[in-house]
Amino acid sequence: MKSSRIPRATIQRLASYVQILETLSQEGEKVISSEGLARACGVNPSQIRKDLAYFGEFGVRGVGYYVQDLLTAIKQSLGIDRVWNVAMVGVGNLGRALLRHKILRKRGFMLVGAFDCDPFKIGEEVAGLEVYSSKRLQEMAGELNVEIGIITTPPKRAQRAANYLVEAGVKGIVNFAPVRIDVPENIAVEYVDFIHHLFSVAFNISLNLSKGLI
Amino acid sequence: MKSSRIPRATIQRLASYVQILETLSQEGEKVISSEGLARACGVNPSQIRKDLAYFGEFGVRGVGYYVQDLLTAIKQSLGIDRVWNVAMVGVGNLGRALLRHKILRKRGFMLVGAFDCDPFKIGEEVAGLEVYSSKRLQEMAGELNVEIGIITTPPKRAQRAANYLVEAGVKGIVNFAPVRIDVPENIAVEYVDFIHHLFSVAFNISLNLSKGLI
DNA sequence: TATAGATTGTTAAAAATTTCACGTAACACA
DNA sequence: TGTGTTACGTGAAATTTTTAACAATCTATA
Ligand SMILES: NC(=O)c1ccc[n+]([C@@H]2O[C@H](COP(=O)([O-])OP(=O)(O)OC[C@H]3O[C@@H](n4cnc5c(N)ncnc54)[C@H](O)[C@@H]3O)[C@@H](O)[C@H]2O)c1
Ligand SMILES: NC(=O)c1ccc[n+]([C@@H]2O[C@H](COP(=O)([O-])OP(=O)(O)OC[C@H]3O[C@@H](n4cnc5c(N)ncnc54)[C@H](O)[C@@H]3O)[C@@H](O)[C@H]2O)c1
């Protein structure tokens, strides 16, 4: 097939294939079938084959997919076969948790700058990074070659943080504050909101209760 | 319309309507149209009307939706018109960030227990909660009347944490560890994975680059 | 080299979701 | 009370996404 518009859901699933393939790879598995992969991430095998078909032909008929090759192929397709420089705006509870977490680095997202507006936080060191004043974002982002911004400020400050980041020339933003932000069209934005998941669980429990399943 | 099977995507959107309605309510807005709400959360107005139609008729033709009434109606529909007792397993970086964050409480998710297996952490106090040994989960969960569990352990420990939670009688789980967990059918599970969003942004930036938009 | 068995890539069908379009109801105001 | 305007609720159309089915093709083995 190749190209055409790629469903957002496909991208999400590809990301989970990566997670699973990384694990398989660590466990020394050499080959995996679409059925095996499907079981591991709870989707339909055809779905997987179709998702992959958007990007190319990575499997071997009668055999399956070579774990390493597929991993490489998907990463390339997603554009994560390289290191992305990331800056974080808002070094509070959540910001710190993210900075300290090694998974970002392991997946190729290098935190190169941390910014906050709180004078008590500026100058502090978190996970080996000095916290800078957000006023210096624009000046430093160029220097640090920042491409992606992560917003972990309170919701009311998210738009301002986004403005700083856009001025600083980032090309994409992941926003953890539960508000929509306004940015130019050609900036890629993703919203993360945990609360949604709690709502979902609460809803499903209520549903199960009303169906008498519990 | 009312009832029939409700799309997962609808639930997600309802959650974001709640966020926006809370803000509107705080700002003193009394009425909002499907179009206004649609603009605020970046979807189609019909979509909103259809989403709401699954649960009932909450609007007034020619007028719109009364913010407070709609908020109440959606919360009731989602089953978040009450307080849910939540326990957290794994009090590391992320667990702490969640415990300290007030939004959970504000949205009706009351953290009533925090559990960890690290002897250095047991007995510590985080956000007014004592950290207990995860061995005591089952014993205490009944006492605390825990209904939802949040897993914030390392991936390798997530299944064990899930087992504890299920034995302890929780009815739903939000899993922040990037692995699937195996639980009985009637337990509602939601997965949270930030990395997906970073992947998405990276992909979209790559796409924009290749389309010459940047 | 032929054959059996396995699993992909792809097309077609089915299902789900989103958008459109319009009848209908509520309000404001003359 | 009548009329114009607005915006909901909903059935039908359009679109998107998922699933099923199968021909193509690879490996192994005799
Ligand atoms: N902590 C969580 O688990 C959690 C969960 C869901 C959502 N969130 C969201 O993530 C965001 C951060 O949460 P948190 O718990 O870390 O809050 P926090 O208050 O601990 O941290 C916010 C940080 O942002 C800084 N800040 C404020 N305005 C700024 C600006 N203009 N420029 C730079 N820095 C600025 C503050 O100084 C502070 O350090 C919030 O929007 C919150 O709703 C957090
Ligand atoms: N920190 C982040 O921003 C972030 C981002 C994405 C995903 N995650 C995921 O969230 C999880 C937690 O991340 P973290 O950064 O907080 O890790 P962490 O190592 O800081 O914390 C993990 C905690 O779990 C505890 N634990 C281990 N096994 C346990 C068990 N069986 N029962 C109870 N407690 C147990 C550990 O003692 C530790 O306190 C990980 O799975 C991680 O991949 C975290």
Side-chain angles (χ1 to χ4, degrees):
Chain A
M1 189 198 274
K2 206 131 197 202
S3 81
S4 87
R5 227 200 84 265
I6 289 147
R8 173 188 198 66
T10 290
I11 301 301
Q12 276 223 352
R13 281 190 299 267
L14 285 174
S16 68
Y17 305 160
V18 169
Q19 302 271 27
I20 288 159
L21 289 168
E22 293 275 11
T23 309
L24 287 172
S25 166
Q26 274 164 34
E27 289 168 355
E29 298 289 334
K30 293 276 175 272
V31 179
I32 182 90
S33 66
S34 59
E35 196 177 324
L37 196 51
R39 235 195 322 274
C41 54
V43 306
N44 185 298
S46 310
Q47 182 87 83
I48 291 182
R49 299 202 294 274
K50 166 117 328 163
D51 284 342
L52 296 175
Y54 284 111
F55 297 97
E57 303 187 8
F58 308 129
V60 182
R61 295 177 192 210
V63 178
Y65 300 91
Y66 292 104
V67 172
Q68 268 314 316
D69 293 357
L70 184 56
L71 199 45
T72 305
I74 298 183
K75 283 187 171 174
Q76 209 160 60
S77 305
L78 287 178
I80 52 173
D81 54 341
R82 66 177 190 87
V83 171
W84 290 88
N85 291 334
V86 180
M88 171 167 294
V89 188
V91 187
N93 287 310
L94 182 59
R96 263 160 230 272
L98 289 170
L99 283 169
R100 293 205 182 110
H101 206 44
K102 62 194 173 307
I103 192 115
L104 287 181
R105 252 152 294 197
K106 216 161 70 185
R107 291 280 184 272
F109 297 93
M110 187 70 77
L111 283 153
V112 294
F115 300 86
D116 204 294
C117 63
D118 180 348
F120 289 103
K121 285 176 183 150
I122 295 167
E124 202 187 337
E125 194 176 302
V126 180
L129 268 185
E130 191 183 335
V131 178
Y132 295 107
S133 161
S134 32
K135 286 186 190 131
R136 299 183 59 194
L137 187 49
Q138 190 167 4
E139 155 206 344
M140 295 199 63
E143 198 178 308
L144 298 167
N145 194 23
V146 172
E147 300 161 290
I148 296 178
I150 295 185
I151 297 179
T152 44
T153 65
K156 287 211 170 108
R157 305 302 193 86
Q159 183 61 56
R160 187 181 309 184
N163 296 345
Y164 283 149
L165 286 167
V166 171
E167 281 167 29
V170 305
K171 305 182 189 80
I173 292 176
V174 179
N175 180 17
F176 282 80
V179 285
R180 295 196 78 76
I181 51 174
D182 232 346
V183 296
E185 276 238 342
N186 60 349
I187 307 283
V189 181
E190 281 284 318
Y191 296 90
V192 186
D193 192 348
F194 317 162
I195 299 288
H196 286 194
H197 297 272
L198 279 157
F199 283 8
S200 271
V201 165
F203 172 70
N204 285 121
I205 294 177
S206 306
L207 211 63
N208 284 341
L209 280 170
S210 75
K211 285 197 282 189
L213 286 177
I214 312 185
Chain B
M1 192 196 272
K2 207 131 199 205
S3 78
S4 85
R5 226 200 85 266
I6 290 146
R8 175 188 197 66
T10 291
I11 302 300
Q12 277 222 352
R13 281 189 300 266
L14 286 174
S16 69
Y17 305 159
V18 170
Q19 303 270 27
I20 288 159
L21 289 167
E22 294 273 11
T23 309
L24 287 172
S25 166
Q26 273 164 33
E27 288 167 356
E29 298 289 335
K30 293 276 175 271
V31 180
I32 182 90
S33 66
S34 59
E35 195 176 325
L37 196 50
R39 233 195 324 275
C41 55
V43 306
N44 184 298
S46 316
Q47 181 87 83
I48 291 183
R49 299 202 294 276
K50 178 132 294 189
D51 283 342
L52 296 175
Y54 283 111
F55 296 98
E57 302 187 10
F58 308 129
V60 183
R61 294 178 193 210
V63 179
Y65 301 90
Y66 291 103
V67 173
Q68 269 313 316
D69 293 357
L70 184 56
L71 199 44
T72 305
I74 298 182
K75 283 186 172 174
Q76 209 162 58
S77 306
L78 287 178
I80 52 173
D81 54 342
R82 66 173 190 89
V83 171
W84 290 89
N85 291 333
V86 179
M88 171 167 294
V89 188
V91 188
N93 286 311
L94 182 60
R96 262 160 231 272
L98 289 169
L99 283 169
R100 294 204 182 110
H101 205 45
K102 63 193 172 307
I103 192 114
L104 288 181
R105 252 152 295 195
K106 216 161 70 184
R107 291 280 184 271
F109 296 93
M110 187 69 77
L111 283 154
V112 295
F115 299 87
D116 204 294
C117 64
D118 181 348
F120 289 102
K121 285 176 184 150
I122 295 167
E124 201 187 338
E125 195 177 301
V126 180
L129 268 185
E130 191 183 336
V131 178
Y132 295 107
S133 161
S134 32
K135 285 188 192 130
R136 297 184 59 195
L137 187 50
Q138 190 166 3
E139 156 207 345
M140 295 198 63
E143 197 178 310
L144 297 167
N145 193 24
V146 172
E147 300 161 289
I148 297 178
I150 295 184
I151 297 179
T152 44
T153 64
K156 288 212 169 107
R157 304 302 192 87
Q159 183 61 56
R160 188 181 309 185
N163 295 346
Y164 283 148
L165 285 168
V166 171
E167 280 167 29
V170 306
K171 305 182 189 79
I173 292 176
V174 179
N175 180 18
F176 283 80
V179 284
R180 295 195 80 75
I181 52 174
D182 233 345
V183 297
E185 276 239 343
N186 60 348
I187 308 282
V189 180
E190 281 284 319
Y191 295 90
V192 186
D193 192 348
F194 317 160
I195 299 288
H196 286 195
H197 297 272
L198 280 157
F199 283 9
S200 271
V201 165
F203 172 70
N204 285 121
I205 294 177
S206 306
L207 210 63
N208 284 341
L209 280 170
S210 75
K211 284 197 283 190
L213 286 177
I214 312 185

